[in-house]
Amino acid sequence: MSQQTIEIEYCTRSGHVFACEITAIGYSQYYGGGYIVARRTDIGEDRTFKVSRIVSVNGHYFSRIFWQQIGDEFKRIY
Protein backbone atom coordinates (compact mmCIF):
# COMPACT_ATOMS: atom_id res chain seq x y z
CA MET A 1 0.00 0.00 0.00
CA SER A 2 1.32 3.42 -0.96
CA GLN A 3 0.86 6.38 1.37
CA GLN A 4 1.73 8.77 -1.46
CA THR A 5 -1.01 11.30 -2.26
CA ILE A 6 -1.85 11.73 -5.93
CA GLU A 7 -4.52 13.60 -7.85
CA ILE A 8 -6.57 11.64 -10.36
CA GLU A 9 -9.30 12.42 -12.83
CA TYR A 10 -11.77 9.55 -12.92
CA CYS A 11 -14.59 8.71 -15.34
CA THR A 12 -17.59 6.93 -13.82
CA ARG A 13 -19.66 4.31 -15.65
CA SER A 14 -22.18 7.03 -16.50
CA GLY A 15 -19.47 9.19 -18.11
CA HIS A 16 -19.15 11.78 -15.31
CA VAL A 17 -15.50 12.89 -14.92
CA PHE A 18 -14.32 14.26 -11.59
CA ALA A 19 -10.99 15.05 -9.95
CA CYS A 20 -9.94 14.03 -6.47
CA GLU A 21 -6.88 13.37 -4.35
CA ILE A 22 -6.29 9.83 -3.16
CA THR A 23 -3.88 8.23 -0.71
CA ALA A 24 -3.42 4.82 0.98
CA ILE A 25 -3.47 3.24 -2.47
CA GLY A 26 -3.53 -0.53 -2.86
CA TYR A 27 -4.88 -3.16 -5.21
CA SER A 28 -8.40 -4.36 -4.50
CA GLN A 29 -8.45 -7.90 -3.17
CA TYR A 30 -12.21 -8.05 -3.67
CA TYR A 31 -12.44 -6.93 -7.31
CA GLY A 32 -9.06 -8.10 -8.60
CA GLY A 33 -5.98 -6.55 -10.22
CA GLY A 34 -7.89 -4.17 -12.47
CA TYR A 35 -9.04 -2.14 -9.47
CA ILE A 36 -7.41 -0.10 -6.73
CA VAL A 37 -8.69 0.86 -3.31
CA ALA A 38 -7.73 4.29 -2.02
CA ARG A 39 -8.82 6.91 0.50
CA ARG A 40 -10.33 10.03 -1.04
CA THR A 41 -8.83 12.86 0.96
CA ASP A 42 -11.67 15.28 0.17
CA ILE A 43 -14.36 13.12 1.77
CA GLY A 44 -12.19 11.00 4.09
CA GLU A 45 -13.61 7.69 2.84
CA ASP A 46 -12.18 4.64 1.08
CA ARG A 47 -13.31 4.09 -2.51
CA THR A 48 -12.66 1.50 -5.21
CA PHE A 49 -11.51 2.74 -8.61
CA LYS A 50 -11.31 0.79 -11.86
CA VAL A 51 -7.82 1.46 -13.21
CA SER A 52 -8.98 1.68 -16.84
CA ARG A 53 -11.34 4.54 -15.87
CA ILE A 54 -8.55 6.71 -14.46
CA VAL A 55 -8.18 9.47 -17.04
CA SER A 56 -5.14 11.22 -15.58
CA VAL A 57 -2.69 11.04 -12.69
CA ASN A 58 -1.19 14.28 -11.38
CA GLY A 59 -2.26 16.06 -14.56
CA HIS A 60 -0.77 13.50 -16.95
CA TYR A 61 -3.27 11.90 -19.32
CA PHE A 62 -2.93 8.20 -20.08
CA SER A 63 -4.49 5.90 -22.61
CA ARG A 64 -5.60 2.34 -21.95
CA ILE A 65 -2.49 1.21 -23.87
CA PHE A 66 -0.28 3.06 -21.39
CA TRP A 67 -1.88 1.30 -18.41
CA GLN A 68 -1.26 -2.07 -20.09
CA GLN A 69 2.35 -1.14 -20.81
CA ILE A 70 3.18 -0.15 -17.24
CA GLY A 71 1.41 -3.21 -15.73
CA ASP A 72 4.01 -4.58 -13.31
CA GLU A 73 5.61 -1.17 -12.84
CA PHE A 74 2.28 0.21 -11.56
CA LYS A 75 2.02 -2.69 -9.13
CA ARG A 76 5.52 -1.98 -7.84
CA ILE A 77 4.85 1.74 -7.26
CA TYR A 78 1.35 1.41 -5.82
Side-chain angles (χ1 to χ4, degrees), residues 6-77:
I6 62 172
E7 182 179 318
I8 64 168
E9 280 189 304
Y10 188 76
C11 182
T12 65
R13 282 187 293 175
S14 64
H16 173 72
V17 177
F18 66 92
C20 65
E21 284 190 348
I22 59 173
T23 192
I25 305 161
Y27 270 94
S28 170
Q29 294 179 353
Y30 182 74
Y31 291 108
Y35 293 81
I36 59 171
V37 176
R39 176 162 291 271
R40 280 188 54 182
T41 59
D42 58 335
I43 61 174
E45 294 181 8
D46 292 341
R47 291 289 189 254
T48 301
F49 300 92
K50 188 172 186 176
V51 173
S52 63
R53 290 194 188 125
I54 297 174
V55 177
S56 71
V57 176
N58 289 337
H60 299 281
Y61 291 89
F62 300 109
S63 68
R64 182 178 211 157
I65 294 169
F66 177 82
W67 285 116
Q68 291 171 349
Q69 288 173 343
I70 65 170
D72 289 338
E73 186 68 14
F74 183 76
K75 291 177 187 174
R76 185 181 67 75
I77 295 169

